[in-house]
Amino acid sequence: MVLLWSTELFPSLEDWQDLEGSVYRLLVVLLRCLATRRLPHFLRPEENLFHGEPLDLTSLQQKVEAFAQDPPRFLRFHFGHPASTEGLQADPELRALLRLPAEDRAYWDTAYFDTLLSQVYRIQDDARRSAMSQLLAKVQREIPTRS
């Protein structure tokens, strides 16, 4: 399901041209689903595939976050201390974005996921950047900024 939703949310071929970018797109969609405890069925979005399942989603979310922070550590053998990480960092602001209400469709579209990915990738498309700005303005109105 995560792959289907990712291709729906990121329909541009440029989003899928490199493996790292493709993996990060899948990860942010998966992290969003885990944080909200909602994985919509692709053909019946009102159906939550996590509903009623006895899954430890918190533990799974922690493992996915660890992978997102340092994918190479999980994808090859290390015979010593792992290198420093520069991947998707799950800071408090990112965690807050991941936990925005799942019922609001604005938090399940390309602009939302572009915003999550913006700390790793620079979005070049002007229309997508404009949509991200509008979404951030909406988030700032709904969630007071901490100082």
Side-chain angles (χ1 to χ4, degrees), residues 64-82:
V64 173
E65 285 177 358
F67 177 82
Q69 290 174 4
D70 189 13
R73 185 177 69 135
F74 291 89
L75 297 175
R76 64 178 176 222
F77 292 105
H78 288 279
F79 300 102
H81 297 291

Side-chain angles (χ1 to χ4, degrees), residues 2-79:
V2 171
L3 177 60
L4 290 173
W5 279 113
S6 297
T7 57
E8 172 80 10
L9 293 163
F10 301 104
S12 174
L13 288 178
E14 73 181 29
D15 290 326
W16 301 99
Q17 289 189 358
D18 68 275
L19 180 61
E20 183 180 0
S22 300
V23 169
Y24 275 119
R25 282 168 180 76
L26 292 167
L27 285 173
V28 296
V29 173
L30 178 57
L31 283 169
R32 169 64 175 170
C33 294
L34 292 170
T36 60
R37 295 177 168 17
R38 176 165 171 64
L39 174 56
H41 189 285
F42 190 73
L43 299 175
R44 296 181 306 274
E46 67 282 354
E47 183 181 332
N48 179 7
L49 295 176
F50 286 156
H51 181 72
E53 294 296 321
L55 301 171
D56 182 4
L57 297 179
T58 302
S59 174
L60 182 57
Q61 181 178 351
Q62 291 169 348
K63 290 174 184 173
V64 173
E65 285 177 358
F67 177 82
Q69 290 174 4
D70 189 13
R73 185 177 69 135
F74 291 89
L75 297 175
R76 64 178 176 222
F77 292 105
H78 288 279
F79 300 102

Side-chain angles (χ1 to χ4, degrees), residues 89-99 119 143 146:
Q89 301 295 316
D91 61 25
E93 290 80 16
L94 179 60
R95 288 177 194 264
L97 280 173
L98 285 170
R99 289 189 175 92
Q119 73 178 30
I143 300 173
R146 297 181 203 162

Side-chain angles (χ1 to χ4, degrees), residues 106-126:
Y107 304 131
W108 189 262
D109 72 359
T110 304
Y112 171 78
F113 289 100
D114 279 347
T115 301
L116 292 174
L117 286 165
S118 66
Q119 73 178 30
V120 179
Y121 295 99
R122 187 171 297 292
I123 305 300
Q124 301 297 322
D125 183 85
D126 289 336

